[in-house]
Every structure is written in C-alpha cells, then in structure tokens.
Amino acid sequence: MPDRDNETWYLAPITEIPGVRHALIMTLDGMVQARSEDLPKDAADGIAAMTSSLHAASRAASIPALDAPADSPIETVTVKMAAGTYMVMPAGANTLIAAAGDDSMPMGVVAHTMARQAMKLGEQFMSVSARVNDGAS
C-alpha cells in the first residue's frame, strides 16, 4: 500500500516516458503533494500555485465559451509552446496531476499514463477512511 504522505511513486510511470521533464501532484488550491525528483522544491511550489490559477481560469473561460453546465469538470488543460507541452488533469477530489515535457514528448502516451495514474491516486484517496469529527477544535 502506498504511503499517503509520499505520492512520488505515482509520478514514476509519467517521468519514465521519453521527453517528460517533470511531473507534479498538487491540491486544487496549489499546494505540492509530490514532485519529480529533479524538480526543485521552490520551482514546484511556484508551478503548483500558478497551475491552480491556470486550472481555475480555464474552467471559468471554457464554461461560458462552450455553454456548458456550471458544474462541468475540466478533463485536461494543455499548454503547447515552442519550449514544449504542459498538461494538467484532475486526479481525485481536489487534486491535480501535471506533466511538462519537450517537443519529443508523446502527448497521447503521456495523457493516457496521467489519466491512469490519476485514477489510481483517486482510488487511493477514496479508500482512506474519513476522520471522525469528535467536536474538538
């Protein structure tokens, strides 16, 4: 059973794909839960914070643009530029998973692997029993 405090093992299948530079797991509000080993902590913290804003802005813009229901979840946010590609998707309740890679990164393979790992991460979080609120503050 994986250690819930160290989700780094969820990133290994993503970072092993040729062309992938970094991967992150973060909360929806931008707190790093896990990062690939070669991504410095300070950089990961900044990327996670900005990714939270990117995800929120993408949702706010796409719902009216697509005339989608207000509670429509985002499946994937992808940013493609000359330097490479950055992909973000939900990974369970209030969690995002992201990968960044160069032009050689096979986007279909990365998206599939991220989705598979996100599902595993979501299942892991769902299997953790809820804390009981005993009224103490």
Side-chain angles (χ1 to χ4, degrees), residues 33-117:
Q33 291 182 309
R35 60 186 165 88
S36 50
E37 292 179 13
D38 58 344
L39 183 60
K41 183 182 180 333
D42 288 346
D45 288 342
I47 292 167
M50 289 179 270
T51 299
S52 173
S53 295
L54 172 68
H55 188 267
S58 297
R59 190 169 184 282
S62 61
I63 286 175
L66 298 171
D67 196 25
D71 61 348
S72 297
I74 287 185
E75 294 178 18
T76 306
V77 175
T78 303
V79 177
K80 179 113 174 86
M81 54 195 315
T85 303
Y86 185 59
M87 298 175 70
V88 181
M89 63 179 58
N94 299 316
T95 305
L96 300 171
I97 190 167
D102 60 31
D103 250 2
S104 70
M105 181 176 85
M107 289 177 48
V109 173
V110 172
H112 174 77
T113 305
M114 285 175 62
R116 187 178 69 227
Q117 294 308 101

Side-chain angles (χ1 to χ4, degrees), residues 4-28:
R4 187 155 163 15
D5 294 329
N6 182 4
E7 291 92 14
T8 305
W9 76 272
Y10 288 99
L11 299 176
I14 299 165
T15 57
E16 292 169 357
I17 299 170
V20 173
R21 293 180 190 151
H22 308 293
L24 279 169
I25 299 170
M26 68 207 84
T27 61
L28 200 53

